[in-house]
Amino acid sequence: MKNRIPVVLLACGSFNPITNMHLRLFEVARDHLHQTGMYQVIEGIISPVNDNYGKKDLVPSHHRVTMARLALKTSDWIRVDSWESEQAQWMETVKVLRHHQNQLLRSATQMEGLDPGKAPSDRAAAPELKLLCGADVLKSFQTPNLWKDAHIQEIVEKFGLVCVSRAGHDPKRYILSSPILCKYQHNIQLAREPVLNEISATYVRRALGQGQSVKYLLPDAVIAYIKNHGLYMTDNSQKGRSTQGN
Amino acid sequence: MDKVEKTEVVLLACGSFNPITNMHLRLFELAKDYMDGTGKYRVIKGIISPVGDAYKKKGLIPAHHRVIMAELATKTSCWVEVDTWESLQKEWVETVKVLRHHQEKLEAGHYNQQQNSPVQEKPGRKRKWTEQRQNSTQKKPPEPNPKGVPKVKLLCGADMLESFGVPSLWKSEDVTHIVADYGLICVTRAGSNAQKFIYESDVLWQHQGNIHLVTEWISNDISSTKIRRALRRGQSIRYLVPDLVQDYIQKHDLYSTESEDRNLGVTLAPLQRNTGEAES
């Protein structure tokens, strides 16, 4: 274990709302990285996107951050970080990575400062920050004007990518069709979720709007929060509510 | 909201639950939403009935563990509960007999209830939760159904429906009984061939009015087999089973290469019984 490279996984996205599928991404990615024998995952960070992202149906970030926090209450290694959501503007994913990299470097130097007697070789290596994503993100790299090439390059060159694929996606293909991803494919880890898992937040919002049960698709604490704050309720959804169970 | 004409339904799921996963729990939620949505039924309860050890399925761990896990998993549900009757029987029990047992139990309870006070709080473990509910329409104790006793229906996934076609696994008269006298609620994946399967079976076709196909629009493939495999390989099963179930599995180290070899080479009880009877 000692020689393993410490890794921090960062997931960016709407988390509107967070579902069990988002949480599974972390578990599957960590298992995969540990399986390689090269890495030790020490932390996972969920960074809900800023309200100015302008996506349709996006509920205010304080709700999305709170829901993620509730969902992560039972996790001993994943936490939510509200920095991205608190910025005045939407920001590119690469800038969020830079911010967290700086945070990690800062806390690493602080730890060294506390222990000046340590020889440089004994120092714990600064953890590597990697972007955790689903195969859909890898695919979205090909969408014109969605990502800047320079940013894609920085993500795979300076940081690295851990991509968890769902059934039906062929992440290898997306890599091979992109010269940048090809060049840095040693920095791209492909993990596979063994169970089909398609709990998209879009589906969850639709089911909530229709007054249908979403239990066991997201943590109970998140469902209770959604109900208490009347989130994702469309006007005509009220009709079906009285017949709905928990 | 509640119309008098609605038939009250109890959903019964039989299976190994080795271990119970979020997929099993979703079956109940989807079936209830569907049945309530028809306007003709009102689902009042869900029952999970883990199979007894005499079923002799490969890798089946002792029933008391499977029952406890199911109980832990339904702790946060206000309408699904676990019943141990089937798991406590010495011999394996045909599903149709489990259905009959629960229907008879409901009938007995129904007539007792009518004899006693008409507005009797339903006894049971979910009482506390019921009292906390904000929704006034559900707070009321279940009133005696003027139309009669609630109906038990078998809840299953598409795999069980298709298992009706496996030779000697089911007695054909049992299948007839299930669909004719009780009814089936089958949760299937979008694009599955459940419809075709019903079409190709004369018995199922004849009673299709008693078979409800519920489409599950998001794939949910959290099979117990995959859970056990992940556990053997030291992989995370978090968020695939309820946290309490995961904790219990870890605490008792339930699934290993050794446990997977339980009943290895032993013939499944229904196959033993059905082929034995055919030969004699």
Side-chain angles (χ1 to χ4, degrees):
Chain A
M1 288 297 230
K2 257 205 164 157
N3 303 324
R4 292 189 183 204
I5 303 163
V7 169
V8 173
L9 296 171
L10 174 75
C12 292
S14 304
F15 302 100
N16 183 40
I18 191 164
T19 74
N20 283 348
M21 190 200 65
H22 297 124
L23 301 166
R24 278 298 292 171
L25 290 185
F26 279 93
E27 297 290 320
V28 172
R30 181 170 75 160
D31 278 345
H32 177 83
L33 291 177
H34 287 177
Q35 179 90 44
T36 64
M38 289 164 61
Y39 300 100
Q40 180 67 35
V41 177
I42 57 168
E43 190 179 35
I45 303 172
I46 285 181
S47 179
V49 79
N50 194 278
D51 286 339
N52 293 309
Y53 185 47
K55 205 173 167 185
K56 190 174 155 280
D57 299 331
L58 200 63
V59 305
S61 61
H62 72 273
H63 284 312
R64 291 180 287 114
V65 167
T66 307
M67 288 188 284
R69 193 165 286 143
L70 288 169
L72 295 171
K73 251 192 175 150
T74 57
S75 175
D76 56 4
W77 68 283
I78 314 169
R79 66 177 178 90
V80 61
D81 192 290
S82 58
W83 180 83
E84 180 182 359
S85 67
E86 284 162 1
Q87 301 309 298
Q89 302 243 298
W90 169 76
M91 72 173 48
E92 288 93 337
T93 300
V94 73
K95 292 182 181 162
V96 183
L97 279 163
R98 283 182 204 149
H99 163 78
H100 285 288
Q101 181 78 297
N102 287 336
Q103 295 291 105
L104 287 173
L105 288 173
R106 195 170 305 155
S107 59
T109 28
Q110 271 170 4
M111 293 225 295
E112 275 172 36
L114 289 173
D115 196 0
K118 241 183 183 178
S121 58
D122 285 345
R123 274 180 210 155
E128 285 186 9
L129 180 66
K130 291 183 185 295
L131 185 65
L132 171 63
C133 65
D136 48 335
V137 170
L138 210 55
K139 188 186 173 194
S140 81
F141 283 165
Q142 298 179 334
T143 311
N145 302 321
L146 195 62
W147 296 84
K148 288 192 193 119
D149 276 352
H151 285 177
I152 296 176
Q153 171 147 354
E154 188 176 337
I155 289 172
V156 289
E157 185 186 0
K158 301 243 171 70
F159 299 98
L161 211 55
V162 182
C163 174
V164 178
S165 65
R166 306 182 214 172
H169 281 276
D170 182 8
K172 204 88 202 173
R173 191 183 66 201
Y174 304 132
I175 295 172
L176 295 176
S177 61
S178 153
I180 303 174
L181 297 183
C182 249
K183 187 173 172 196
Y184 297 101
Q185 57 177 306
H186 57 277
N187 264 340
I188 303 175
Q189 298 282 335
L190 297 181
R192 197 166 273 280
E193 165 67 287
V195 302
L196 265 179
N197 181 334
E198 294 178 357
I199 314 172
S200 76
T202 312
Y203 172 87
V204 168
R205 290 197 301 275
R206 191 183 306 136
L208 285 165
Q210 293 170 349
Q212 292 186 319
S213 164
V214 294
K215 197 164 163 72
Y216 312 112
L217 297 178
L218 43 172
D220 282 341
V222 177
I223 298 175
Y225 185 88
I226 289 172
K227 294 264 154 83
N228 287 340
H229 292 81
L231 303 180
Y232 309 113
M233 297 289 171
T234 53
D235 290 341
N236 55 3
S237 70
Q238 305 297 324
K239 281 186 281 178
R241 280 179 79 191
S242 60
T243 58
Q244 206 203 331
N246 184 18
Chain B
M1 183 89 203
D2 292 333
K3 293 199 193 88
V4 211
E5 317 92 68
K6 283 186 187 173
T7 308
E8 291 188 330
V9 169
V10 171
L11 301 172
L12 173 74
C14 293
S16 303
F17 301 102
N18 185 37
I20 191 164
T21 76
N22 282 349
M23 181 194 66
H24 298 124
L25 300 162
R26 277 300 289 168
L27 291 186
F28 280 96
E29 299 294 316
L30 290 163
K32 181 177 193 295
D33 277 345
Y34 176 87
M35 294 300 276
D36 289 348
T38 61
K40 289 190 274 186
Y41 301 98
R42 195 162 68 91
V43 174
I44 58 164
K45 191 161 75 167
I47 301 173
I48 292 176
S49 179
V51 79
D53 292 338
Y55 187 49
K56 296 290 174 206
K57 196 174 176 182
K58 185 177 167 291
L60 193 66
I61 68 162
H64 74 273
H65 283 311
R66 292 180 286 113
V67 165
I68 290 172
M69 288 189 284
E71 277 169 354
L72 291 171
T74 50
K75 240 186 180 164
T76 60
S77 174
C78 57
W79 67 283
V80 183
E81 56 189 54
V82 182
D83 191 282
T84 56
W85 180 82
E86 181 184 357
S87 71
L88 293 174
Q89 303 308 304
K90 275 204 198 79
E91 306 259 320
W92 168 70
V93 185
E94 284 93 343
T95 300
V96 72
K97 290 186 183 157
V98 184
L99 279 161
R100 191 190 301 153
H101 165 80
H102 285 287
Q103 188 64 56
E104 283 170 0
K105 211 169 132 187
L106 281 169
E107 276 158 24
H110 179 73
Y111 294 121
N112 282 341
Q113 199 179 39
Q114 280 191 331
Q115 278 165 10
N116 299 336
S117 79
V119 205
Q120 179 195 14
E121 176 78 47
K122 183 183 162 200
R125 43 190 276 272
K126 306 294 181 189
R127 198 154 159 187
K128 219 175 179 179
W129 205 93
T130 318
E131 282 162 8
Q132 286 170 356
R133 282 202 66 102
Q134 296 168 348
N135 201 326
S136 61
T137 58
Q138 301 219 338
K139 231 187 208 169
K140 290 183 211 156
E143 288 160 25
N145 186 348
K147 269 197 92 182
V149 187
K151 298 264 183 274
V152 180
K153 290 184 182 293
L154 187 64
L155 170 64
C156 66
D159 49 337
M160 186 190 265
L161 184 75
E162 280 167 32
S163 81
F164 285 164
V166 178
S168 304
L169 194 59
W170 297 84
K171 272 184 260 174
S172 63
E173 61 263 39
D174 281 5
V175 173
T176 310
H177 259 306
I178 291 172
V179 290
D181 303 341
Y182 299 98
L184 209 58
I185 296 155
C186 178
V187 180
T188 64
R189 225 170 266 166
S192 88
N193 51 4
Q195 201 79 59
K196 185 165 173 262
F197 190 82
I198 292 169
Y199 163 73
E200 286 173 354
S201 152
D202 287 342
V203 175
L204 298 182
W205 179 257
Q206 193 191 334
H207 297 284
Q208 60 178 305
N210 228 355
I211 303 174
H212 302 270
L213 293 182
V214 184
T215 308
E216 179 182 46
W217 291 105
I218 51 168
S219 301
N220 183 336
D221 177 31
I222 313 175
S223 70
S224 301
T225 308
K226 285 183 177 173
I227 297 293
R228 295 198 304 273
R229 187 180 295 141
L231 285 164
R232 287 200 302 277
R233 296 175 183 179
Q235 291 175 320
S236 164
I237 56 161
R238 193 123 207 212
Y239 311 115
L240 298 177
V241 303
D243 283 346
L244 290 173
V245 173
Q246 183 192 267
D247 295 345
Y248 186 85
I249 290 173
Q250 272 165 0
K251 193 176 159 206
H252 298 271
D253 194 15
L254 293 184
Y255 295 103
S256 59
T257 315
E258 292 78 55
S259 78
E260 198 60 27
D261 283 346
R262 289 172 68 95
N263 297 323
L264 183 70
V266 181
T267 311
L268 208 62
L271 295 178
Q272 258 181 56
R273 191 173 298 175
N274 297 338
T275 54
E277 278 170 12
E279 277 160 19
S280 60

